[in-house]
Amino acid sequence: MTNTHDDASPLILEGVVTELSGRIIHDGVDLVMKRGEVLGLVGASGSGKSVLLRCIIGLLPPKAGTVRLFGDDLYQADDRTLAAIKQRWGVLFQANALFSDFSVLDNIAMPLREHHGLPEELILSVARMKALASGLPEDALWKFPSELSGGLQKRVGVARAIVRDPDLILLDEPTAGLDPIMAAQIDALIGGLASELGLSVVVVTHDLDTLYTICDRVAVLSDRTILAVAPVRELEHSQDPWLRNYLLGTRTRAGRIADPKVVHPSPQEIMS
Ligand SMILES: Nc1ncnc2c1ncn2[C@@H]1O[C@H](COP(=O)(O)OP(=O)(O)OP(=O)(O)O)[C@@H](O)[C@H]1O
């Protein structure tokens, strides 16, 4: 029976353990997302951010623990409940995962074609609306993805993620590979969509500007579990050496735009 609760947290992870090729990637991940928040997910390269995202969207069953979406246990859900849950999320994959032989508009329309029996005219009309809401120019819609800049390709991915009016979007490194100006534009787009549409957003990122400009809280993945979840300014005061180095090292945004109250890591900490 469909049991997606409107007032439930969009995402709760309880004791999630994942394993790939015999190796434990996550070992007891707990996380409760608030409705309407933009939640950053950070961690060192290889710490398991993308794998966790795969687990959250049903592509990797956990070895133990529970993935709860909108109140329902994703991996125990019957077909009808699962279909209802999937209606409520949208995903932007790393490197966009756009189909090169399809036009921009057809890429955006794809989730509508997969899950609805909607008339073609309506599908194209909704896809066009989402494309324009995502900042794509009209003349980009019938081009192929390869004809667009990296920034516009990200916008195609975002438009596809929101095409079914989701409650939750999961974005894997939305600003990776973009120049700082385009990256800031994508951040503004995500922040704007979150506040205007009341979306809950999980954003996996290495981009500190994203954390500081659009994330309400940041979850830190370390040592196969969640080390902390807090607003990024609070995380600056963490005693964890890796996290302090990540946020406050000399090459980082916070290192450049320093809060004078924050004690910066020593050169020894940065090297460690
Ligand atoms: N299909 C797979 N089979 C075996 N191991 C995998 C597979 N996919 C990922 N891994 C391993 O899982 C670990 C976590 O990978 P993941 O891609 O989630 O890291 P990440 O935190 O997203 O890294 P990055 O920031 O570099 O994107 C890595 O050690 C990776 O090698």
Side-chain angles (χ1 to χ4, degrees), residues 20-21 23 25 44-51 54 94 173 206:
L20 280 169
S21 306
R23 191 159 69 88
I25 309 294
S45 289
S47 60
K49 303 177 294 296
S50 298
V51 170
R54 279 166 57 195
Q94 224 175 39
E173 301 204 27
H206 285 296

Side-chain angles (χ1 to χ4, degrees), residues 251-271:
R251 293 187 59 163
T252 64
R253 181 183 192 275
R256 298 194 305 271
I257 310 169
D259 176 343
K261 295 191 292 299
V262 168
V263 181
H264 286 260
S266 66
Q268 287 81 1
E269 265 187 284
I270 290 168
M271 293 302 288

